[in-house]
Structure formats: structure tokens, C-alpha cells
Amino acid sequence: MPLFDEAAEQWDLDRLYTDLAEVKAGLQSHRRPGLTTSEKRRLRGLLLSYSPAEIAEQEYTTVGTVEVALSQSIYRYVEGVTQHARNSVENWRDVRTWLAEAGYGVSRVAINWAQMPDVPELYGRSQELAQLQEWVLRDTACRLIAVNGPAGMGKTSLVITLSTALQSEFESVIWQSLRHRPNFESVVSYWLDQLPAQFGQAESRYDSVLDRFMRYLHSHRCLIVIDNLETILLSGSLTGGYEVGYEDYAELLRRLSEEPHQSCVVVTSRESIAEIHGFSSATSPIRNLTLEGLSYDAAEQVLEEEGLVVQKPFKHLIDQYRGNPLILRIVALNIQELFNGDVSHFLKQRQTLFGNIEYLIAQQCDRLSSEEQMILIQLTQQAEPLPIDRLEQPFSLQAITALRRRSLVEKSEAGFTLRPAVMEYARRYLL
């Protein structure tokens, strides 16, 4: 891919190249027409907020070479296109600012949009998708939405489908995964660098990157997806706190929920988010959607896609894994490989926990507080659902609520119980 080619997502490069080439022809009629490959490349670098030193590093040349070339070409052409006086470029940042003001930016700015994960096809979520679309697009649009559910339930797949369908409704779209726990200030600073230039500027020395970003959301309609929020939430806590060094993300969500703005932020997490859960309601601009397992028809489609032939035990298999699409895919591949596709033979082994399934459950159970683990142990020792008044003390209502929000405990009219895979994990590692 050509260097700095991602600038094409944010700028009308074809029109810009043409207009700059006309100025060049007037200034340097003896030179060949059109911008050279090097001029285009360095222009794209400036548009993406790369300094001359950073461009030189990418080109494996000296800073002086790039600075001289820019001063003899791009800076002069940009002055002509934007009707600024000759030699008025004082800083390389002027190029991006002046061209943005002249209208060369495209109408939709996409940030990290190409970094969406490649996920399996979405099955059986038409109702949830329609609900999210209504929340995002209706007249009193929601400004903050959480999509929660256990690992593998399809949160990211659902939000990718939603975002792809609705991106044309927004001026800017941002996809941000927190899987690798990026620093808050570096993330928001990068967003500001990619947005129209004027929003990257501080109005005062007390203006934080969050202040600047919120200012953009107040005046522009932006779709932001924050994926995998659970990776920065505090382990072993009932309060829904954040890991040390990541508290600024809580402030971001608080301001997104409290301050009026034109944008919509969608957050995915395996755990309910305190900044959203307590404020979500049918009339609020803050909403919460908890993903349950797939319907039998949709779950059967997942199993068939992985090569299993429809069999009578399908229903039992789907119930055992609560319709979790990722876990059903893992199970189907193992049934194919080890049991020649015979579901009944697999079920006779009475093992729900193995390989990547155990890893997914462990990721959630390892985050529990001692109080939550105590409740898990009690429920593990019961064959039937246990009413809350029969749970042994000491425990707090906050602890059982936390387990529910982590999607580890199921509740019915009869009481509380564990999903089969969680039950097996607790028997192996907590008893």
C-alpha cells in the first residue's frame, strides 16, 4: 500500500491533487505537469498530521531533505490554493488546517474503521439489531448505549453490523478496541488528530483532550464504538471500578451520559457498566442491551455452518451452552474432529468445559471478588435453583447483583443457578 494512503479516507485527494497541480503549473511552468509521487506522498503525510521529521523517517531520508522539498513545493502550492500570501506557511500544521478550512476534507471521517475485527456472520439477532437502530436513529436519539453479555455471545458482531449499516448517518465514525488496554490520553489525542483540524486545538491552557473532544461531539454527529471495555475494569471489585491508570475512561462515559451532544457512543462489555446501568431507562438517552443466547433456529444455523447435520440432540446441546454462538462453534468443531459429527456421542461424555471454552469462562471467573466466589461455591453445591433467602450468610445483595451483571448467574422464578459451563468450572477450581 502506498505510504500514508489512509489519507484518502479523510480527504478529497483527487480534487486536491488537481487544484495543487494547477497552482504548480503557474509557479513552475518549466516543471512537468501534475504533482510528483514524492509530492503526493509528503502531502498525504502532512494531512495525517505527520511532521516533516516523521515523514523523513518513513521515507528513510534526512529531515533537511524533506523540509527543503516541502518549502519549495507543497507549502507554496497550498498557499496558492487557499489564497494565502506567498511564504506565509509558518508551521507544517498550517497545511492541514488551511486545507480543512478550504473544504478539502471528505464529509465522513473514519477513524480505525479498517481495524474492525473479522467476525463470523451474524445469526438470529434481527430483533436486537432493530432495537439498536431505533435507539440510534429516532428523533430523541440515544447518546450512550451499552451492549453487554458473556464472552462469545456476539456483542462485537452485532455492533459491527449496526455500525456498518448506519455509518452514512454520521459525519465521523470511530472504532476503538480496548483489548490491548491503550492509554486514555493517547487514544483521545489520536482521535483529535484525525478529526477536522480546528477541534484538535486547545481553547486555553486548561483545555484537556477530553474537553476538546466533547466540544466536537456537541457540534457534530459522530458514531463511536468502544469495544471490550471489560479489559480495563477492576478485578475483584463489586463497585464496577476501573484499573489504576484507566479512570479517565470512566470520566469519558460519565460526561457522555450527562452532557447533551449530537453523537452516539456504543460500548460493548462482558460486564454491566456502572456509568450506564444506573441511568438507563425507557425514557432516558442512555440505554442498556443485554444479549441472551440465540434462538434454537439461529443456533441450529451456527451448528450446521460448522458442518454438523441436524440431529435430535441439537436442542440439548444448545440448551447446555445457552445458545452462545462462539461456544457452539467451538463445540461443533470438536464434535466433528473427535466424534465424527455424532452429537449424542459427545453428550455422553458429560463434559461441558474444555479448551477455549474453559479459557473464556476462566477469564470471567478470575475477576471475581471473594464474596462472589463464595456465592458461586454455594450454587455449585445445589442441584436445583436456590432462592435468595436460602443463600448462606455472609453475602451481600451487591455481590449477587454483581454476578448477574457479569452474566455468570441465571435467575428464574425458582431462584438462582449457574450456567452448566460455569457450574463445571466452579466445581473444578473453586471447591
Side-chain angles (χ1 to χ4, degrees):
M1 185 175 74
L3 199 56
F4 310 127
D5 195 47
E6 59 268 31
E9 298 178 0
Q10 304 175 29
W11 298 87
D12 188 350
L13 292 182
D14 290 339
R15 182 165 67 93
L16 183 54
Y17 290 157
T18 300
D19 292 350
L20 292 175
E22 289 183 7
V23 174
K24 177 182 178 179
L27 294 174
Q28 304 173 1
S29 57
H30 61 286
R31 302 279 294 274
R32 70 172 184 169
L35 300 185
T36 67
T37 300
S38 295
E39 288 171 338
K40 290 179 179 179
R41 180 175 63 247
R42 290 163 184 165
L43 171 66
R44 293 195 300 270
L46 294 174
L47 294 175
L48 290 173
S49 298
Y50 284 88
S51 69
E54 291 169 324
I55 294 172
E57 184 179 356
Q58 294 291 320
E59 291 186 340
Y60 300 101
T61 189
T62 65
V63 178
T65 298
V66 173
E67 288 179 336
V68 169
L70 288 171
S71 67
Q72 294 177 348
S73 58
I74 296 300
Y75 292 168
R76 307 291 80 87
Y77 310 158
V78 169
E79 289 166 350
V81 162
T82 58
Q83 299 183 351
H84 283 78
R86 185 171 174 81
N87 297 320
S88 59
V89 170
E90 296 181 355
N91 186 290
W92 59 269
R93 293 183 177 86
D94 292 340
V95 170
R96 177 183 167 96
T97 301
W98 292 355
L99 291 175
E101 292 171 349
Y104 286 99
V106 297
S107 59
R108 183 175 60 85
V109 177
I111 302 174
N112 295 341
W113 216 241
Q115 297 179 14
M116 283 184 183
D118 186 16
V119 296
E121 183 178 348
L122 187 68
Y123 287 106
R125 295 295 188 192
S126 57
Q127 184 174 347
E128 292 91 340
L129 184 61
Q131 178 67 85
L132 289 174
Q133 289 177 323
E134 180 188 346
W135 287 347
V136 173
L137 295 179
R138 66 183 186 177
D139 291 339
T140 53
C142 296
R143 56 178 179 251
L144 183 59
I145 299 170
V147 180
N148 303 319
M153 199 58 81
K155 301 179 294 296
T156 300
S157 298
L158 176 61
V159 173
I160 286 175
T161 304
L162 173 76
S163 305
T164 303
L166 300 185
Q167 59 179 313
S168 62
E169 302 288 334
F170 296 85
E171 298 175 54
S172 305
V173 290
I174 298 173
W175 179 276
Q176 185 65 55
S177 172
L178 300 186
R179 184 179 299 278
H180 300 296
R181 298 161 56 88
N183 171 270
F184 173 82
E185 187 156 347
S186 64
V187 163
V188 181
S189 294
Y190 176 74
W191 294 351
L192 289 168
D193 283 344
Q194 307 308 305
L195 292 169
Q198 61 268 33
F199 291 98
Q201 307 300 316
E203 291 187 344
S204 77
R205 59 180 178 152
Y206 303 107
D207 206 7
S208 69
V209 292
L210 181 53
D211 291 331
R212 282 179 271 163
F213 185 61
M214 291 303 300
R215 198 163 66 239
Y216 176 80
L217 299 188
H218 286 186
S219 55
H220 291 75
R221 185 148 167 76
C222 183
L223 173 64
I224 306 164
V225 177
I226 300 176
D227 198 24
N228 308 119
L229 186 77
E230 73 279 348
T231 59
I232 62 170
L233 297 180
L234 191 63
S235 299
S237 169
L238 298 177
T239 60
Y242 289 72
E243 294 280 0
V244 175
Y246 293 90
E247 298 89 349
D248 285 342
Y249 282 100
E251 178 65 9
L252 169 66
L253 294 180
R254 184 192 66 77
R255 291 188 62 174
L256 289 170
S257 65
E258 293 179 359
E259 297 181 19
H261 55 81
Q262 298 186 41
S263 300
C264 181
V265 181
V266 182
V267 180
T268 74
S269 176
R270 296 178 186 179
E271 304 177 12
S272 292
I273 305 159
E275 290 77 16
I276 297 176
H277 188 87
F279 299 96
S280 176
S281 72
T283 58
S284 168
I286 305 162
R287 295 303 174 88
N288 190 86
L289 176 67
T290 299
L291 284 192
E292 305 293 344
L294 297 177
S295 67
Y296 287 119
D297 288 344
E300 283 186 355
Q301 282 185 282
V302 172
L303 295 173
E304 290 180 63
E305 185 184 77
E306 298 303 330
L308 293 184
V309 178
V310 176
Q311 303 164 48
K312 188 175 181 180
F314 263 22
K315 184 178 185 300
H316 184 69
L317 185 69
I318 293 166
D319 283 338
Q320 181 164 280
Y321 292 104
R322 298 301 191 258
N324 185 304
L326 177 59
I327 292 181
L328 287 175
R329 291 181 189 281
I330 295 171
V331 171
L333 290 171
N334 278 269
I335 293 174
Q336 286 280 44
E337 182 177 356
L338 301 178
F339 301 97
N340 298 317
D342 188 336
V343 176
S344 294
H345 194 183
F346 166 76
L347 291 172
K348 288 177 183 177
Q349 310 306 308
R350 298 185 181 279
Q351 291 189 38
T352 59
L353 200 65
F354 54 88
N356 288 333
I357 299 174
E358 181 173 334
Y359 173 72
L360 292 174
I361 302 299
Q363 280 186 312
Q364 290 185 272
C365 289
D366 288 349
R367 298 176 54 80
L368 301 182
S369 65
S370 57
E371 198 172 356
E372 289 170 288
Q373 290 182 13
M374 186 185 307
I375 295 175
L376 246 61
I377 291 171
Q378 292 183 45
L379 294 177
T380 300
Q381 297 168 335
Q382 303 296 319
E384 300 295 332
L386 193 65
I388 193 168
D389 54 7
R390 287 182 54 197
L391 283 171
E392 297 177 11
Q393 299 293 332
F395 82 94
S396 68
L397 294 177
Q398 191 177 17
I400 192 71
T401 300
L403 285 171
R404 287 278 294 148
R405 292 180 182 175
R406 297 186 201 273
S407 303
L408 292 172
V409 170
E410 297 178 334
K411 181 180 180 297
S412 65
E413 291 185 4
F416 295 94
T417 188
L418 303 178
R419 291 183 287 128
V422 177
M423 177 79 77
E424 186 172 339
Y425 182 89
R427 284 173 177 164
R428 284 189 192 181
Y429 300 108
L430 298 183
L431 290 181

PDB file of all heavy atoms in Angstrom, residues 14-25:
ATOM      1  N   ASP A  14      -8.210  13.418  -4.929  1.00  0.00           N
ATOM      2  CA  ASP A  14      -8.227  13.643  -6.384  1.00  0.00           C
ATOM      3  C   ASP A  14      -8.412  15.131  -6.694  1.00  0.00           C
ATOM      4  O   ASP A  14      -7.683  15.708  -7.516  1.00  0.00           O
ATOM      5  CB  ASP A  14      -9.337  12.824  -7.036  1.00  0.00           C
ATOM      6  CG  ASP A  14      -9.037  11.331  -7.024  1.00  0.00           C
ATOM      7  OD1 ASP A  14      -7.844  10.979  -6.887  1.00  0.00           O
ATOM      8  OD2 ASP A  14      -9.978  10.536  -7.149  1.00  0.00           O
ATOM      9  N   ARG A  15      -9.390  15.755  -6.050  1.00  0.00           N
ATOM     10  CA  ARG A  15      -9.632  17.180  -6.282  1.00  0.00           C
ATOM     11  C   ARG A  15      -8.463  18.029  -5.794  1.00  0.00           C
ATOM     12  O   ARG A  15      -8.045  18.997  -6.444  1.00  0.00           O
ATOM     13  CB  ARG A  15     -10.926  17.612  -5.574  1.00  0.00           C
ATOM     14  CG  ARG A  15     -11.300  19.081  -5.785  1.00  0.00           C
ATOM     15  CD  ARG A  15     -12.736  19.338  -5.384  1.00  0.00           C
ATOM     16  NE  ARG A  15     -12.952  19.187  -3.966  1.00  0.00           N
ATOM     17  CZ  ARG A  15     -12.884  20.189  -3.081  1.00  0.00           C
ATOM     18  NH1 ARG A  15     -12.591  21.410  -3.498  1.00  0.00           N
ATOM     19  NH2 ARG A  15     -13.126  19.973  -1.809  1.00  0.00           N
ATOM     20  N   LEU A  16      -7.900  17.635  -4.661  1.00  0.00           N
ATOM     21  CA  LEU A  16      -6.783  18.373  -4.097  1.00  0.00           C
ATOM     22  C   LEU A  16      -5.544  18.284  -4.990  1.00  0.00           C
ATOM     23  O   LEU A  16      -4.875  19.300  -5.257  1.00  0.00           O
ATOM     24  CB  LEU A  16      -6.472  17.848  -2.698  1.00  0.00           C
ATOM     25  CG  LEU A  16      -5.370  18.560  -1.905  1.00  0.00           C
ATOM     26  CD1 LEU A  16      -5.636  20.059  -1.829  1.00  0.00           C
ATOM     27  CD2 LEU A  16      -5.265  17.961  -0.505  1.00  0.00           C
ATOM     28  N   TYR A  17      -5.239  17.074  -5.482  1.00  0.00           N
ATOM     29  CA  TYR A  17      -4.099  16.918  -6.392  1.00  0.00           C
ATOM     30  C   TYR A  17      -4.269  17.810  -7.629  1.00  0.00           C
ATOM     31  O   TYR A  17      -3.330  18.466  -8.089  1.00  0.00           O
ATOM     32  CB  TYR A  17      -3.969  15.468  -6.848  1.00  0.00           C
ATOM     33  CG  TYR A  17      -3.529  14.477  -5.795  1.00  0.00           C
ATOM     34  CD1 TYR A  17      -3.830  13.109  -5.942  1.00  0.00           C
ATOM     35  CD2 TYR A  17      -2.826  14.874  -4.667  1.00  0.00           C
ATOM     36  CE1 TYR A  17      -3.420  12.186  -4.994  1.00  0.00           C
ATOM     37  CE2 TYR A  17      -2.427  13.952  -3.703  1.00  0.00           C
ATOM     38  CZ  TYR A  17      -2.735  12.599  -3.881  1.00  0.00           C
ATOM     39  OH  TYR A  17      -2.340  11.674  -2.947  1.00  0.00           O
ATOM     40  N   THR A  18      -5.479  17.823  -8.184  1.00  0.00           N
ATOM     41  CA  THR A  18      -5.750  18.607  -9.392  1.00  0.00           C
ATOM     42  C   THR A  18      -5.556  20.098  -9.142  1.00  0.00           C
ATOM     43  O   THR A  18      -4.894  20.805  -9.918  1.00  0.00           O
ATOM     44  CB  THR A  18      -7.175  18.338  -9.892  1.00  0.00           C
ATOM     45  OG1 THR A  18      -7.310  16.942 -10.206  1.00  0.00           O
ATOM     46  CG2 THR A  18      -7.485  19.161 -11.135  1.00  0.00           C
ATOM     47  N   ASP A  19      -6.122  20.596  -8.032  1.00  0.00           N
ATOM     48  CA  ASP A  19      -6.036  22.029  -7.732  1.00  0.00           C
ATOM     49  C   ASP A  19      -4.600  22.454  -7.419  1.00  0.00           C
ATOM     50  O   ASP A  19      -4.143  23.524  -7.835  1.00  0.00           O
ATOM     51  CB  ASP A  19      -6.957  22.378  -6.571  1.00  0.00           C
ATOM     52  CG  ASP A  19      -8.429  22.238  -6.931  1.00  0.00           C
ATOM     53  OD1 ASP A  19      -8.719  22.051  -8.129  1.00  0.00           O
ATOM     54  OD2 ASP A  19      -9.281  22.303  -6.026  1.00  0.00           O
ATOM     55  N   LEU A  20      -3.880  21.625  -6.680  1.00  0.00           N
ATOM     56  CA  LEU A  20      -2.488  21.950  -6.370  1.00  0.00           C
ATOM     57  C   LEU A  20      -1.628  21.921  -7.636  1.00  0.00           C
ATOM     58  O   LEU A  20      -0.703  22.735  -7.792  1.00  0.00           O
ATOM     59  CB  LEU A  20      -1.934  20.976  -5.332  1.00  0.00           C
ATOM     60  CG  LEU A  20      -2.516  21.073  -3.920  1.00  0.00           C
ATOM     61  CD1 LEU A  20      -1.960  19.963  -3.042  1.00  0.00           C
ATOM     62  CD2 LEU A  20      -2.216  22.426  -3.292  1.00  0.00           C
ATOM     63  N   ALA A  21      -1.946  20.989  -8.545  1.00  0.00           N
ATOM     64  CA  ALA A  21      -1.189  20.895  -9.796  1.00  0.00           C
ATOM     65  C   ALA A  21      -1.375  22.153 -10.646  1.00  0.00           C
ATOM     66  O   ALA A  21      -0.439  22.599 -11.329  1.00  0.00           O
ATOM     67  CB  ALA A  21      -1.625  19.651 -10.581  1.00  0.00           C
ATOM     68  N   GLU A  22      -2.569  22.745 -10.613  1.00  0.00           N
ATOM     69  CA  GLU A  22      -2.805  23.984 -11.363  1.00  0.00           C
ATOM     70  C   GLU A  22      -1.946  25.117 -10.811  1.00  0.00           C
ATOM     71  O   GLU A  22      -1.365  25.913 -11.566  1.00  0.00           O
ATOM     72  CB  GLU A  22      -4.288  24.356 -11.298  1.00  0.00           C
ATOM     73  CG  GLU A  22      -5.192  23.438 -12.117  1.00  0.00           C
ATOM     74  CD  GLU A  22      -6.634  23.894 -12.071  1.00  0.00           C
ATOM     75  OE1 GLU A  22      -6.904  24.987 -11.513  1.00  0.00           O
ATOM     76  OE2 GLU A  22      -7.507  23.171 -12.591  1.00  0.00           O
ATOM     77  N   VAL A  23      -1.868  25.208  -9.478  1.00  0.00           N
ATOM     78  CA  VAL A  23      -1.022  26.234  -8.871  1.00  0.00           C
ATOM     79  C   VAL A  23       0.439  25.985  -9.223  1.00  0.00           C
ATOM     80  O   VAL A  23       1.191  26.910  -9.567  1.00  0.00           O
ATOM     81  CB  VAL A  23      -1.215  26.253  -7.338  1.00  0.00           C
ATOM     82  CG1 VAL A  23      -0.222  27.220  -6.687  1.00  0.00           C
ATOM     83  CG2 VAL A  23      -2.641  26.635  -6.982  1.00  0.00           C
ATOM     84  N   LYS A  24       0.831  24.729  -9.166  1.00  0.00           N
ATOM     85  CA  LYS A  24       2.213  24.370  -9.504  1.00  0.00           C
ATOM     86  C   LYS A  24       2.547  24.795 -10.931  1.00  0.00           C
ATOM     87  O   LYS A  24       3.637  25.334 -11.202  1.00  0.00           O
ATOM     88  CB  LYS A  24       2.414  22.863  -9.338  1.00  0.00           C
ATOM     89  CG  LYS A  24       3.798  22.371  -9.745  1.00  0.00           C
ATOM     90  CD  LYS A  24       3.930  20.862  -9.594  1.00  0.00           C
ATOM     91  CE  LYS A  24       5.305  20.375 -10.042  1.00  0.00           C
ATOM     92  NZ  LYS A  24       5.462  18.916  -9.891  1.00  0.00           N
ATOM     93  N   ALA A  25       1.620  24.555 -11.842  1.00  0.00           N
ATOM     94  CA  ALA A  25       1.866  24.915 -13.250  1.00  0.00           C
ATOM     95  C   ALA A  25       2.087  26.408 -13.409  1.00  0.00           C
ATOM     96  O   ALA A  25       2.895  26.850 -14.248  1.00  0.00           O
ATOM     97  CB  ALA A  25       0.692  24.453 -14.104  1.00  0.00           C
TER      98      ALA A  25
END
